[in-house]
Amino acid sequence: MTLEVEANYIDLAKSELRNQRQRHLYFLNSHIFGDPAWELVLEAFIASSDNRCVALSDLSDDLRKPAPIVTRLAMILEAEGYVERCRSHNNRDLRCFKLTVDAVAWCEQCLDLKPDDNDFHNN
């Protein structure tokens, strides 16, 4: 199944991912103030635009987190229905996952939020 993701959402996801990865510039202890689960979801969202799966080993490198932590996060996201396992087209032994159709729609909603859409930002 091919998921159609609008280019502007992909651009927003890439921008958000860059911001997440630069949080160390703003937080002294960025390892405490940055849950990598959102980054993991953003990586999978970006990959969904190309109908690709995301390899856990690549995510471990990209997130700069040990493989067991990334695997645990992927398992939690799978249990919650955000991701599903898939096979890499290049390497069948590679452990990969992709966003579910509902998770792609949820990401689009998250990326579509504007500060004035949320009462929290207006207080």
Side-chain angles (χ1 to χ4, degrees), residues 14-70:
K14 288 179 179 178
S15 175
E16 175 66 16
L17 196 53
R18 272 193 306 276
N19 290 338
Q20 288 288 315
R21 294 213 169 122
Q22 292 178 352
R23 67 180 169 260
H24 70 277
L25 299 173
Y26 307 105
F27 295 110
L28 182 60
N29 295 319
S30 62
H31 63 284
I32 297 171
F33 296 108
D35 187 342
W38 178 235
E39 288 181 55
L40 190 148
V41 168
L42 287 172
E43 286 284 0
F45 180 76
I46 292 166
S48 71
S49 70
D50 297 330
N51 203 27
R52 291 184 294 119
C53 291
V54 179
L56 290 176
S57 57
D58 291 341
L59 278 173
S60 180
D61 293 341
D62 292 344
L63 299 175
R64 289 179 241 119
K65 301 290 181 197
I69 290 175
V70 174

Side-chain angles (χ1 to χ4, degrees), residues 51-116:
N51 203 27
R52 291 184 294 119
C53 291
V54 179
L56 290 176
S57 57
D58 291 341
L59 278 173
S60 180
D61 293 341
D62 292 344
L63 299 175
R64 289 179 241 119
K65 301 290 181 197
I69 290 175
V70 174
T71 300
R72 181 178 58 82
L73 286 172
M75 290 172 62
I76 292 168
L77 290 168
E78 182 179 26
E80 294 292 325
Y82 290 96
V83 300
E84 57 192 12
R85 295 172 197 226
C86 58
R87 295 211 181 256
S88 169
H89 297 293
N90 301 330
N91 182 348
R92 291 235 182 254
D93 295 329
L94 202 57
R95 296 174 63 195
C96 300
F97 72 93
K98 64 181 180 178
L99 289 184
T100 61
V101 173
D102 289 343
V104 169
W106 173 77
C107 282
E108 288 177 349
Q109 288 175 347
C110 289
L111 293 166
D112 207 23
L113 291 177
K114 298 174 186 67
D116 58 343

